[in-house]
Amino acid sequence: QKEVEQNSGPLSVPEGAIASLNCTYSDRVSQSFFWYRQYSGKSPELIMSIYSNGDKEDGRFTAQLNKASQYVSLLIRDSQPSDSATYLCAALNQAGTALIFGKGTTLSVSS
Amino acid sequence: EAGVTQFPSHSVIEKGQTVTLRCDPISGHDNLYWYRRVMGKEIKFLLHFVKESKQDESGMPNNRFLAERTGGTYSTLKVQPAELEDSGVYFCASGGTSRYNEQFFGPGTRLTVL
């Protein structure tokens, strides 16, 4: 059973701090990884995709991928209260179709 | 550009009844996916359409679930007869032809089976 593991949290950070969210995956064949943000009762919103080892930056968000360690992370700089949500890590399956999700990490940013 | 839409947003039915969920993907997206989140668990894949063809239905739990995508546009997911364990949030996602298979999710249908 291929899995994606995340710490469920909650992760609490003060406004303006860096939030670090981590994820590990079991299937070495996975090539594409995604971070989704989900506010309570809303749809998962795609915020970052990463396919190559290293860092990928988009605004206040940086995704990091280490395929050798099977580890994906998301850094949120200058965290804002509006960043408070559940962050879902997902890996694309071997066939390149279905997403395998972690249970999500709840982030709380206090003002 | 309109996002993925789903109908209804909520459905409450009795065990043994039938429910049909609908998904309208982003216009032009050939790929359509159904996922489900049962309370306390992670979101899990159900099936994948490319246009009107089922490409992968390995996640469908049993033959009480039937998905269709006639004409390659909107899709329906029928549960007949519904059981208590079918309760959860059913998400639809769509994607274009990007090699990275980015998927964009709809708001979900919350199904409660009593």
Side-chain angles (χ1 to χ4, degrees), chain B residues 11-71:
Chain B
S11 181
V12 180
I13 61 173
E14 300 280 337
K15 175 183 172 181
Q17 290 186 319
T18 298
V19 63
T20 300
L21 315 180
R22 173 172 169 144
C23 168
D24 286 77
I26 293 171
S27 178
H29 279 186
D30 288 340
N31 293 288
L32 188 149
Y33 310 83
W34 284 98
Y35 291 84
R36 176 174 73 171
R37 185 168 198 165
V38 172
M39 187 179 293
K41 302 284 189 179
E42 65 274 21
I43 296 173
K44 288 205 167 178
F45 169 79
L46 296 178
L47 87 159
H48 169 216
F49 284 98
V50 176
K51 297 184 179 178
E52 68 275 8
S53 300
K54 290 177 188 174
Q55 289 295 112
D56 180 356
E57 50 186 331
S58 61
M60 294 287 263
N62 51 61
N63 60 8
R64 295 185 293 103
F65 289 75
L66 175 64
E68 295 180 324
R69 192 183 183 194
T70 307

Side-chain angles (χ1 to χ4, degrees), chain A residues 1 32 34 36 38 42-44 46 49 51 88 92 96-99 101-103, chain B residues 33 35 37 40-45 48 56 91 100-107:
Chain A
Q1 180 77 358
S32 301
F34 306 88
Y36 286 83
Q38 187 176 26
K42 302 295 186 182
S43 60
L46 180 63
S49 310
Y51 322 106
L88 303 168
L92 204 57
T97 55
L99 292 173
F101 280 91
K103 289 187 177 180
Chain B
Y33 310 83
Y35 291 84
R37 185 168 198 165
K41 302 284 189 179
E42 65 274 21
I43 296 173
K44 288 205 167 178
F45 169 79
H48 169 216
D56 180 356
F91 290 105
Y100 301 117
N101 278 337
E102 292 181 336
Q103 300 180 22
F104 302 92
F105 279 72

